[in-house]
Amino acid sequence: MQIVSFRLDGKHALVTGASSGIGQASAVALAAYGADVTLMARREDGLNETRKLIEPYKVKCTILPCDVSDIGKLKTLISAQPMFDILLNAAGLGRHKPALDITEEDFDAVFAVNIKAAYFLNQMLAQKLITAQKSGSLINISSQMAHVGGLERSVYCASKHAVEGMVKAMAIEWGEHNIRINNIAPTFIRTALTQATFDNPEWMQRITEKIKLGRVGELQDIMGAVIYLASDASALVTGTSLLVDGGWTAE
C-alpha cells in the first residue's frame, strides 16, 4: 500500500489575498510543505511581510501587487507568469450591514472581488493547465456563510453561495483534465480584520454560541485544510466544500 504524501516539493502556488490573514497564513503553510509561492494582493508592504515569513523555508517566493478586481491587469499579470500547479484564492471583501442598507455600490464591490475576480482567476489558471496538459488543484476560500444565512451579511452570503455553485460547475468541466477545484469554508477566524468583531461582546457571544466547539477559529485551523487540498492526499476530492466551522452548520 502506497502512503500518500502531503509534501508539495516541485509545485508552484499562487496565493491571492496574501498580504494578511488567511491568505498570508496559507502562503506560509504552502511554503513550509515545499511549494514555491507567488504572492498577490493590493498592498505591496503586506506582501513583503509575508515574504519575510516564508524566507526560513528556502523556497522561491515572488510578489505580484494587484487588485484582483481589475480583471484586465489580472489577465496581463497571469499571462506573463509560468504555470501554477496550485491556486489558493483568499482575496475577499465584505460589506456587513442590514440588507435594507446595502447600496448598489456595496453590492458591486463585493461581487467584483468575491465572485467575478474568483471566476476569471480560476479560469485563467485552468486554461494554462489544460494547455500544458498538467493536473492542478484550485482552492478558493469560501465561508460557512455560503451554507447558511447570516445577520447583516446578505450580500456577502449571496457572493459566497455563488462561489460554491461556480466551483461545482467548474469541477464537472475540468475533471476530465485532472484539474481539481474546491472550496474551504471557514467560520469566524481571528485576524486583524476580524478583531473588531471579536472585541464586541454581543457579537462574540452570538458567534461562540453557534460554534459547537466553543471557540472562534485561529489561522492555524485553516492550514491543514489548505495543505490537504493542495496535495496528492486529496487526489479524489473535487467540486466540494471543506467546512472548517467548528460545527456551526451542523444544525
Side-chain angles (χ1 to χ4, degrees):
M1 179 184 297
Q2 183 177 355
I3 304 300
V4 296
S5 174
F6 290 88
R7 293 294 306 175
L8 301 171
D9 305 276
K11 303 291 187 181
H12 187 188
L14 173 65
V15 181
T16 70
S19 60
S20 63
I22 290 175
Q24 184 178 77
S26 298
V28 173
L30 291 165
Y33 277 77
D36 295 329
V37 290
T38 294
L39 310 174
M40 181 179 286
R42 290 176 299 172
R43 294 191 304 109
E44 187 168 354
D45 59 337
L47 293 177
N48 283 321
E49 289 174 10
T50 305
R51 181 160 55 182
K52 288 180 181 178
L53 294 173
I54 286 171
E55 284 177 359
Y57 300 105
K58 308 300 181 183
V59 298
K60 294 179 182 177
C61 180
T62 57
I63 65 171
L64 288 178
C66 179
D67 180 345
V68 295
S69 68
D70 185 342
I71 304 300
K73 182 177 180 181
L74 187 62
K75 287 182 177 179
T76 299
L77 287 174
I78 295 299
S79 64
Q81 295 298 307
M83 184 189 69
F84 294 102
D85 307 285
I86 300 162
L87 168 66
L88 193 288
N89 176 34
L93 180 65
R95 297 282 178 92
H96 303 323
K97 60 178 74 171
L100 292 178
D101 294 337
I102 290 291
T103 65
E104 186 176 357
E105 190 276 330
D106 291 328
F107 186 98
D108 289 344
V110 171
F111 269 68
V113 176
N114 292 2
I115 183 62
K116 185 177 180 180
Y119 188 99
F120 288 104
L121 183 61
N122 282 275
Q123 181 195 68
M124 291 173 209
L125 268 63
Q127 184 60 69
K128 280 201 165 191
L129 288 166
I130 291 168
T131 300
Q133 297 184 323
K134 298 290 187 180
S135 62
S137 177
L138 310 178
I139 308 164
N140 295 274
I141 299 298
S142 177
S143 170
Q144 67 184 17
M145 295 302 173
H147 299 261
V148 295
L151 186 66
E152 298 185 358
R153 279 162 172 75
S154 58
V155 68
Y156 183 78
C157 287
S159 70
K160 292 301 187 180
H161 275 73
V163 168
E164 300 265 335
M166 174 196 84
V167 163
K168 288 180 182 295
M170 288 177 170
I172 293 169
E173 293 191 26
W174 298 340
E176 64 181 284
H177 302 288
N178 201 23
I179 295 171
R180 299 182 296 107
I181 179 168
N182 294 287
N183 290 309
I184 296 173
T187 187
F188 287 83
I189 303 295
R190 192 185 304 277
T191 69
L193 291 177
T194 61
Q195 191 57 50
T197 298
F198 298 149
D199 289 340
N200 182 321
E202 182 181 347
W203 268 101
M204 192 63 173
Q205 180 179 354
R206 184 179 296 145
I207 290 167
T208 52
E209 285 176 352
K210 285 280 192 177
I211 299 175
K212 308 306 179 291
L213 293 179
R215 67 173 178 86
V216 299
E218 304 292 343
L219 288 171
Q220 295 91 326
D221 294 316
I222 302 299
M223 291 180 174
V226 170
I227 298 306
Y228 171 66
L229 288 177
S231 72
D232 290 342
S234 59
L236 197 61
V237 179
T238 195
T240 194
S241 186
L242 178 53
L243 281 152
V244 185
D245 70 344
W248 182 299
T249 60
E251 61 184 25

